[in-house]
Amino acid sequence: MNIALFGAPGSGKGTQGNLIAQKFGYIHLSSGEILRGEIAANSAWGIEAEKYISKGMLVPDDLIINILEIKIDENKSAKGMIFDGFPRTIVQAEELETMLGKHGKKINVMIEVYVDEKTLFNRLVLRGKNSGRSDDTPETIYKRLAVYHEQTAPVMEFYKRTNRYQSVDNNSSVEECFEQICKLVRKLIS
Ligand code: AMP
């Protein structure tokens, strides 16, 4: 079972990704976390990525695809993978099909974690006060939400076309959203 978790910055897909991984024994691959790890390690990829992340822009497709390819190969025996924050462009979605296809795998479902815009902004501002993330400042948040609508939202259409799109609501509580996701996953694996 391979799941692409989709949603705007601040939608809570990272939290949900962790919960699903724990419950079902899947591997959680968060592209944002992986990139922040590269930055912390001061690697060549991290130094390059930081230039984009600090401005609220997406890092180049090649960079994130190369990193994800290594992670997929490393985890090819996992019983499930949760992709959180990837794919974020159509190019990435197409490459993901190829990278998984190499191991006889595919994305079974893409789950959109939906939160309305005002709540997203408020959650991100609040997170910025505690997270210390360089991209959780109000200006960068606006930019990231705009990038999400322009570049990332079309990825939903990619999965809708192939009947793999599902949506859950995360405007209320973490628990309620998690329950909706669990129902979906249980149905798919039964
Ligand atoms: P996130 O933690 O998912 O909000 O990601 C933080 C930042 O990392 C994003 O604003 C992008 O700059 C970068 N990033 C994460 N995933 C991707 C991706 N799949 N493609 C391009 N940039 C990404």
Side-chain angles (χ1 to χ4, degrees), residues 13 31-33 35-36 52-53 57-59 64 85-86 88 92 133 135 144:
K13 57 187 177 351
S31 52
E33 260 173 39
L35 288 168
R36 284 186 286 281
Y52 298 87
I53 294 178
M57 291 160 67
L58 295 184
V59 308
I64 190 69
F86 184 92
R88 258 177 156 101
Q92 293 177 19
R133 273 178 58 163
D135 59 348
R144 285 161 63 212

Side-chain angles (χ1 to χ4, degrees), residues 29-129:
L29 295 174
S30 156
S31 52
E33 260 173 39
I34 295 169
L35 288 168
R36 284 186 286 281
E38 292 291 331
I39 293 170
N42 217 13
S43 72
W45 274 334
I47 293 166
E48 180 65 12
E50 167 68 6
K51 294 182 204 160
Y52 298 87
I53 294 178
S54 60
K55 295 194 191 93
M57 291 160 67
L58 295 184
V59 308
D61 284 331
D62 279 1
L63 197 162
I64 190 69
I65 288 166
N66 286 335
I67 296 181
L68 259 290
E69 183 159 36
I70 294 171
K71 298 284 175 194
I72 291 171
D73 292 349
E74 278 172 4
N75 290 290
K76 59 176 184 288
S77 310
K79 71 174 184 177
M81 286 187 246
I82 301 161
F83 294 90
D84 158 7
F86 184 92
R88 258 177 156 101
T89 64
I90 297 284
V91 172
Q92 293 177 19
E94 285 169 347
E95 281 298 323
L96 184 57
E97 303 277 288
T98 309
M99 294 191 285
L100 288 173
K102 222 170 65 179
H103 302 294
K105 294 173 188 283
K106 63 171 187 169
I107 293 293
N108 301 85
V109 64
M110 185 261 231
I111 303 176
E112 179 197 9
V113 179
Y114 177 77
V115 175
D116 62 50
E117 196 85 3
K118 194 165 179 297
T119 311
L120 282 178
F121 187 79
N122 292 339
R123 281 190 192 169
L124 284 166
V125 172
L126 190 70
R127 185 173 81 183
K129 294 196 175 120

Side-chain angles (χ1 to χ4, degrees), residues 103-173:
H103 302 294
K105 294 173 188 283
K106 63 171 187 169
I107 293 293
N108 301 85
V109 64
M110 185 261 231
I111 303 176
E112 179 197 9
V113 179
Y114 177 77
V115 175
D116 62 50
E117 196 85 3
K118 194 165 179 297
T119 311
L120 282 178
F121 187 79
N122 292 339
R123 281 190 192 169
L124 284 166
V125 172
L126 190 70
R127 185 173 81 183
K129 294 196 175 120
N130 309 310
S131 71
R133 273 178 58 163
S134 62
D135 59 348
D136 277 345
T137 60
E139 310 79 65
T140 318
I141 292 168
Y142 274 125
K143 174 72 186 165
R144 285 161 63 212
L145 289 173
V147 165
Y148 172 75
H149 290 299
E150 282 158 27
Q151 292 174 263
T152 304
V155 176
M156 268 191 286
E157 302 306 318
F158 180 90
Y159 291 98
K160 278 184 187 166
R161 278 202 298 276
T162 47
N163 292 324
R164 289 177 290 172
Y165 166 83
Q166 296 284 344
S167 179
V168 293
D169 186 287
N170 197 14
N171 279 294
S172 39
S173 73

